[in-house]
Amino acid sequence: MRKKLFFLFLWAEIIFPFSIHAQNYTKGYEHLFTTEKRYIATHTDSAIMIDGIASESDWNKAQWTDDFTDIEGEEKPTPLYRTRAKMLWDSHYLYIFVELEEPNIWAYYDKHDQIVYHENDFEIFIDPNRDGYHYFEFEVNAQNTLFDLLLPKPYRNGGKASIGWNATGFKSAVDIEGTLNNPEDTDKKWTVEIAIPFKSIKETNRSITPKNGETWRLNFSRVNWQTSLENGKYTKKKDATGKTLSEFNWVWSPIGIINMHYPERWGLLQFSTGKPGENSLQFQLPKDEYLKQWLWLVYYKQQDYRKKYGEFAPTLQSLNLPEQVTMKDGEPAQLKLRSSSNQFNVTIQTTQTNSISLNEAGYIQIK
């Protein structure tokens, strides 16, 4: 019986990371509140050569992420091929190394800013200040073709990607264990090594260089298409009606739905001045992340309420939500909602924290 009770308690912690008491309120939204993946990037003093191989000793000491899973979560089928990554940083770059197992390595796009997710690719999403706005996306295929863009806000909120933006100083290299675009053999894997310069990650023209203990929202995605052969070339497989089969979306931190553009559902990357291989480092979850979870619950419920009734809910009670909630550490927090038919603003605050707000456009502000 003790083991069973412990398992139930642990399950509740995983499904409702911001407060076990939220269980009744998140019914129907559990897939959007699973605990995100977390990673501590250690600091390297070594010169990292971007060659796609990651032979430096600090890379060997750096921890791998968990294997990627389906974008909708671990209840979906396990990905066909293993994908995992590791990260380092110094005063100039965030370094990423990813390993993608693949028996048929192919890529034909070879020009910068071609939309490489129309082929198999590896993707990086970064939101440095965790506000869900002004985030960055980098995509690389097995030809080492880069598609880089920034989004002022998510597509769901009317955002339009700026494809003309370029990450000045971005470096990447691909190494292939096999042969590219050769269907006559069986390949093993391709690896990508990346250096993202902090000077290219900017908010309002100000470069963002992380400090020890700072936390960013970040996620990785791998797009993988089912293929067939036509005239000796790989092509995306079609069904009996001639429609292209849907791609697989394998990610580091599951979103819960098939949409990468939910920045609040990405993983958390924490920067540490600790050295690669240190085992005593502990991830420290920013307290505002607990508070934000309640705001996002209001946001999701408001969007569904508007779809059903044509306007936003006027009160928290209309959404089956309380005005006072309890944080994981037992501290009470106050929720307040101001709403009209087309707009709303919800705030949350404890006696120990600043007020955090979220509006109908999905924009987070800390006062």
Side-chain angles (χ1 to χ4, degrees), residues 151-295:
L151 287 98
K153 55 185 175 180
Y155 296 117
R156 68 183 178 200
N157 303 118
K160 294 182 179 180
S162 176
I163 297 176
W165 173 82
N166 293 318
T168 303
F170 180 96
K171 302 176 184 179
S172 64
V174 171
D175 184 72
I176 296 175
E177 291 193 29
T179 53
L180 182 67
N181 298 331
N182 182 4
E184 296 183 1
D185 64 0
T186 299
D187 306 312
K188 183 177 180 181
K189 65 182 178 180
W190 56 294
T191 56
V192 189
E193 189 174 19
I194 289 170
I196 301 175
F198 295 125
K199 67 180 181 182
S200 70
I201 305 295
K202 296 181 178 180
E203 294 277 0
T204 61
N205 294 320
R206 180 180 62 86
S207 296
I208 300 176
T209 302
K211 300 177 182 178
N212 181 52
E214 187 172 333
T215 304
W216 290 6
R217 282 280 177 186
L218 175 144
N219 212 351
F220 302 130
S221 173
R222 175 181 180 178
V223 172
N224 227 75
W225 296 89
Q226 300 179 63
T227 59
S228 57
L229 292 175
E230 292 185 8
N231 300 318
K233 293 184 66 174
Y234 293 103
T235 184
K236 288 182 281 190
K237 188 177 291 187
K238 296 178 174 58
D239 63 18
T241 68
K243 182 180 179 181
T244 299
L245 296 177
S246 297
E247 76 279 13
F248 293 112
N249 293 277
W250 303 326
V251 304
W252 171 47
S253 191
I255 305 297
I257 58 174
I258 306 175
N259 189 337
M260 282 302 297
H261 295 275
Y262 272 54
E264 73 277 8
R265 293 288 301 136
W266 297 347
L268 290 169
L269 168 65
Q270 196 158 82
F271 294 88
S272 171
T273 51
K275 300 306 177 186
E278 284 191 30
N279 297 320
S280 60
L281 300 176
Q282 296 291 323
F283 190 99
Q284 300 297 320
L285 185 68
K287 190 168 186 177
D288 62 9
E289 286 299 327
Y290 289 114
L291 297 168
K292 288 177 184 178
Q293 297 290 346
W294 284 102
L295 300 182

Side-chain angles (χ1 to χ4, degrees), residues 19-65:
S19 172
I20 294 177
H21 302 291
Q23 292 183 45
N24 293 332
Y25 304 119
T26 56
K27 186 176 181 180
Y29 298 87
E30 296 92 343
H31 60 296
L32 294 172
F33 289 98
T34 53
T35 302
E36 70 283 300
K37 299 290 185 179
R38 300 166 187 178
Y39 188 94
I40 299 175
T42 50
H43 191 274
T44 179
D45 295 320
S46 302
I48 302 296
M49 180 179 294
I50 304 303
D51 55 9
I53 300 175
S55 57
E56 293 83 358
S57 61
D58 278 359
W59 271 135
N60 293 329
K61 297 174 186 174
Q63 295 293 313
W64 287 105
T65 64

Side-chain angles (χ1 to χ4, degrees), residues 321-340:
L321 291 172
E323 294 183 353
Q324 183 168 302
V325 298
T326 304
M327 305 309 296
K328 188 176 179 181
D329 59 4
E331 183 180 4
Q334 195 72 28
L335 270 176
K336 293 182 180 180
L337 175 66
R338 291 185 291 109
S339 183
S340 67

Side-chain angles (χ1 to χ4, degrees), residues 295-365:
L295 300 182
W296 285 114
L297 181 57
V298 174
Y299 176 86
Y300 299 143
K301 288 196 169 189
Q302 279 284 43
Q303 301 304 321
D304 287 342
Y305 189 98
R306 191 182 193 188
K307 289 178 184 176
K308 185 175 182 179
Y309 298 107
E311 61 182 8
F312 289 121
T315 64
L316 290 168
Q317 288 80 2
S318 302
L319 300 171
N320 189 32
L321 291 172
E323 294 183 353
Q324 183 168 302
V325 298
T326 304
M327 305 309 296
K328 188 176 179 181
D329 59 4
E331 183 180 4
Q334 195 72 28
L335 270 176
K336 293 182 180 180
L337 175 66
R338 291 185 291 109
S339 183
S340 67
S341 60
N342 295 312
Q343 295 178 314
F344 73 86
N345 187 277
V346 59
T347 62
I348 190 168
Q349 187 173 17
T350 73
T351 57
Q352 305 296 322
T353 63
N354 294 328
S355 173
I356 305 177
S357 67
L358 176 67
N359 64 14
E360 77 286 344
Y363 183 58
I364 289 276
Q365 286 185 298

